[in-house]
Amino acid sequence: MTATQTGSSNPHRTPVPEFDAIIIGAGIAGLYQLHRLRKLGFNVRAFEAGSGVGGTWYWNRYPGARFDSESYSYAYSFSQELLDEWNWKEHFAPQPETLEYLNFVADRLDLKRDIEFNARIEAATFSEADNRWEVVTESGERAVAQFLITAVGVLSAPYIPDIPGRDTFTGASWHTAHWPHEPVDFRDKRVGVIGSGATAVQLITEVAKSVGHLTVFQRTANYCIPLNNREITADEQANLHARSGDIFEQCRHSFGAFIHDFDPRSAFDVDDAEREAIYEQLYREPGFGFWLGNFHDIMTDEKANATIAEFVRRKIRERVRDPELAEKLTPRDHHFGTKRVPLESGYYEVYNQPNVTLVDLKETPIECITETGVRTSKQEYEFDVLIFATGFDAVTGALTRMDIRGEGGQLLRDKWRDGPLTYLGLQIAGFPNLFTVVGAHNAANFCNIPRCIEQNVDWVTDCIAHLRDHKLRRIAATESAEREWQQHCEEVVSGTLFPTANSWFMGANIPGKKRMFLAYGGGLPRYREKCDDVAARGYAGFALE
Ligand code: NA7
């Protein structure tokens, strides 16, 4: 590969810097991709929209933001040195600690010198003449490279619904992913939160501790379960360090790369009393065990699912004092686990506070946002602060919001009008030399994400190294491989209950977005096997030139 050089693809323009590879994003994926390629001697530049590293953990600074994965299962696993040096303070680390960790990694590996910050990529165009990509930032800066790797995250394109009057509110207002960098004081403030997903559940619980009055606008009640977080003791710390290899090995073989994995038994292999005891125990344990460590058929069989759904409903009734309010907070329109299960730390008890109001939008929908607040079909609510916890154009949004043009000038967002098409979730036919780490129909979208990121990045890095070693300039997914992958992804998810819910997994949270399961529903071990098999067969399904 070429060393750093400055060239120009057009003699009338200022010289455009050339790289072997350009990475978009300096979150968990972008940082690791930069490290891996640089280690192999490639000349790489990463472009990052934020002013610092961290991606999701840079942007989502709202109070209460924290891991739902066990901290020690979330860290990078590739470097024993990094593992030895870092001590997580809590079993589920809060956002500031995670951001600190990612800065620690970036500094230890000296990554920041190859990252351009405050540089949002607006467009990327493939040149068929020389098999290179040219990217352009919002401020008009350009760069070219043989390989373009998007590491733009799953939940990085914030979505604010198009509610009439949306921009007229004169108080303070943000989407949770655009939280201010300075602390926000909620004392004596009237605060409105729209949304009741995983983000809102964390945020509401924290804001309720100090707020003047909090009003929550809920469209869909969720099945929230306890996170059961606590500090890591000194003894646990030593033990976690000693066991880190085992922890990562456990994640490697579990469906979602968590330390939890489905119980091979059916919910009906045990009698009612034993099932109840198992649910009780899982409800008291930390993390996603209640969802992802439960009977395997809760995600495939409606009757099995009903047993767990009813258990959670009962817990809600036990925790919320006012029965009418409890009923509003009780999900009845989707199966347990088919929408992302929010993990909570006292969420339901918030509604026992006199200064918290729940507005059920199924009964009284929002009509508009006004200068002073929110008007529903029943009444107007006035706020000092209005927060949109309304989610993201997940998985595809960050890519389709850019002008990515492949062969023949085809725009990616046009190609994906009827839903994303990819090969392994890592490449797209018609877009040679473009790798989409954590792309659509990739196991990474339903995963303890750093575990899948490491798999994705390792695969992409090996592939690029293979191309270099064989003096190949171009790799392109074939359309037939893409079609087969699409069919496989559909088959895998069709045996589950996921397609029945209006979730972001299904693209169903964005009006007009094609309804389709956006992740790979076969789990990480199966996904890894598929990717490894493709590589072992000389990158079968790809055209190499
Ligand atoms: P989610 O899970 O997509 O939640 C968004 C919330 O916003 C959800 O309660 C939505 O209700 C609500 N929403 C969206 N549009 C509207 C409108 N128009 N009116 C009222 N309410 C609305 O996003 P999160 O940020 O909470 O979580 C995303 C992921 O981040 C999460 O899965 C974790 O992986 C971390 P709905 O349920 O659609 O009725």
Side-chain angles (χ1 to χ4, degrees):
M1 284 283 147
T2 53
T4 309
Q5 54 181 271
T6 304
S8 169
S9 48
N10 177 344
H12 305 296
R13 261 193 340 224
T14 39
V16 178
E18 293 182 10
F19 303 94
D20 296 326
I22 287 173
I23 299 165
I24 308 180
I28 298 170
L31 291 177
Y32 182 47
Q33 185 66 78
L34 174 59
H35 172 66
R36 286 280 344 249
L37 285 175
R38 231 172 52 172
K39 274 274 197 204
L40 290 179
F42 290 95
N43 176 25
V44 192
R45 173 61 50 94
F47 290 86
E48 165 56 51
S51 63
V53 300
T56 290
W57 301 104
Y58 169 90
W59 293 104
N60 290 273
R61 292 163 188 253
Y62 61 86
R66 67 170 64 246
F67 287 159
D68 286 337
S69 305
E70 284 72 7
S71 308
Y72 29 88
S73 77
Y74 195 95
Y76 289 113
S77 72
F78 66 87
S79 157
Q80 194 57 47
E81 257 176 41
L82 292 178
L83 284 167
D84 290 346
E85 255 190 86
W86 187 262
N87 289 323
W88 295 101
K89 296 187 191 74
E90 298 178 46
H91 282 265
F92 300 87
Q95 175 270 339
E97 191 181 345
T98 308
L99 188 58
E100 196 186 320
Y101 167 73
L102 293 169
N103 273 285
F104 151 78
V105 172
D107 290 336
R108 277 290 180 284
L109 302 176
D110 191 19
L111 297 175
K112 289 178 184 170
R113 67 181 156 89
D114 287 319
I115 304 170
E116 194 146 335
F117 294 104
N118 303 305
R120 183 179 288 280
I121 299 293
E122 207 172 54
T125 308
F126 182 67
S127 158
E128 287 164 67
D130 54 8
N131 291 315
R132 293 193 308 178
W133 283 91
E134 180 173 81
V135 298
V136 187
T137 67
E138 249 172 8
S139 61
E141 197 188 331
R142 290 163 192 275
V144 296
Q146 186 186 356
F147 299 107
L148 176 63
I149 302 155
T150 59
V152 292
V154 181
L155 297 150
S156 51
Y159 164 68
I160 297 187
D162 196 9
I163 301 169
R166 187 177 74 175
D167 302 323
T168 55
F169 181 67
T170 53
S173 181
W174 324 273
H175 185 280
T176 47
H178 286 149
W179 200 266
H181 288 207
E182 317 75 52
V184 182
D185 187 357
F186 291 107
R187 274 173 307 176
D188 305 324
K189 297 266 178 13
R190 297 162 304 169
V191 178
V193 174
I194 303 180
S196 55
T199 298
V201 166
Q202 290 186 332
L203 169 82
I204 287 163
T205 311
E206 200 56 35
V207 171
K209 291 177 183 166
S210 64
V211 74
H213 193 98
L214 176 64
T215 304
V216 178
F217 296 92
Q218 170 195 276
R219 190 166 65 179
T220 306
N222 267 309
Y223 298 92
C224 309
I225 57 167
L227 174 66
N228 294 317
N229 183 34
R230 59 182 174 76
E231 283 182 11
I232 294 172
T233 64
D235 284 352
E236 282 175 335
Q237 194 70 263
N239 183 264
L240 286 168
H241 277 291
R243 288 196 307 113
S244 70
D246 295 343
I247 292 170
F248 291 127
E249 194 54 21
Q250 197 178 340
C251 294
R252 199 177 144 76
H253 297 290
S254 80
F255 182 90
F258 290 91
I259 60 172
H260 315 279
D261 205 4
F262 289 111
D263 187 329
R265 290 175 300 175
S266 157
F268 301 112
D269 283 347
V270 296
D271 63 25
D272 292 355
E274 189 178 352
R275 190 184 318 117
E276 178 72 13
I278 290 170
Y279 289 169
E280 272 296 348
Q281 190 190 330
L282 288 171
Y283 195 76
R284 283 196 299 270
E285 285 178 5
F288 275 134
F290 189 81
W291 183 21
L292 304 176
N294 217 312
F295 300 112
H296 74 91
D297 55 349
I298 63 161
M299 294 312 299
T300 53
D301 178 67
E302 291 191 354
K303 287 203 177 98
N305 192 284
T307 63
I308 189 92
E310 199 40 50
F311 179 91
V312 181
R313 291 186 192 120
R314 208 173 61 232
K315 287 289 176 196
I316 298 170
R317 286 195 292 272
E318 282 168 17
R319 293 173 58 183
V320 180
R321 274 191 228 117
D322 175 349
E324 251 181 61
L325 204 48
E327 183 53 32
K328 286 181 184 170
L329 286 161
T330 300
R332 300 201 180 272
D333 59 0
H334 62 282
H335 299 298
F336 171 81
T338 52
K339 289 176 85 127
R340 163 55 149 87
V341 174
L343 296 189
E344 50 84 26
S345 306
Y347 176 66
Y348 289 113
E349 286 70 17
V350 161
Y351 295 95
N352 296 331
Q353 289 182 208
N355 62 340
V356 177
T357 305
L358 179 75
V359 179
D360 183 347
L361 297 179
K362 292 241 159 84
E363 283 174 8
T364 57
I366 294 178
E367 285 185 344
C368 64
I369 290 173
T370 66
E371 281 183 22
T372 51
V374 173
R375 189 186 308 147
T376 66
S377 58
K378 187 175 166 213
Q379 74 177 84
E380 180 144 0
Y381 299 85
E382 292 196 348
F383 299 119
D384 303 302
V385 182
L386 180 59
I387 300 165
F388 291 92
T390 43
F392 301 85
D393 185 353
V395 184
T396 53
L399 292 171
T400 55
R401 285 181 188 185
M402 290 185 276
D403 286 340
I404 300 180
R405 286 180 192 276
E407 285 173 313
Q410 186 186 24
L411 265 174
L412 182 62
R413 88 172 70 88
D414 288 344
K415 169 162 174 146
W416 281 4
R417 188 137 288 158
D418 291 324
L421 281 169
T422 72
Y423 183 35
L424 302 175
L426 288 168
Q427 264 224 356
I428 303 157
F431 295 77
N433 292 1
L434 167 68
F435 294 94
T436 54
V437 171
V438 193
H441 295 150
N442 182 313
N445 295 312
F446 191 83
C447 193
N448 184 12
I449 202 157
R451 304 282 63 78
C452 285
I453 282 173
E454 286 186 343
Q455 182 276 343
N456 273 209
V457 168
D458 289 344
W459 192 94
V460 168
T461 308
D462 289 349
C463 178
I464 291 178
H466 173 90
L467 298 172
R468 174 177 68 177
D469 296 347
H470 293 80
K471 300 196 167 30
L472 297 163
R473 294 290 299 162
R474 174 186 159 108
I475 179 165
T478 65
E479 286 188 356
S480 58
E482 197 174 65
R483 264 197 310 277
E484 276 172 33
W485 182 247
Q486 162 78 3
Q487 277 162 8
H488 172 65
C489 289
E490 276 174 24
E491 270 164 33
V492 168
V493 79
S494 66
T496 73
L497 296 173
F498 281 109
T500 61
N502 289 329
S503 62
W504 64 256
F505 297 136
M506 293 299 299
N509 62 324
I510 304 294
K513 189 166 172 174
K514 166 85 176 176
R515 197 184 168 89
M516 174 191 267
F517 192 66
L518 295 169
Y520 175 69
L524 175 62
R526 195 166 169 193
Y527 175 76
R528 187 192 308 109
E529 212 174 279
K530 295 261 173 209
C531 291
D532 289 351
D533 176 59
V534 165
R537 289 189 290 124
Y539 294 94
F542 290 98
L544 308 180
E545 282 174 26

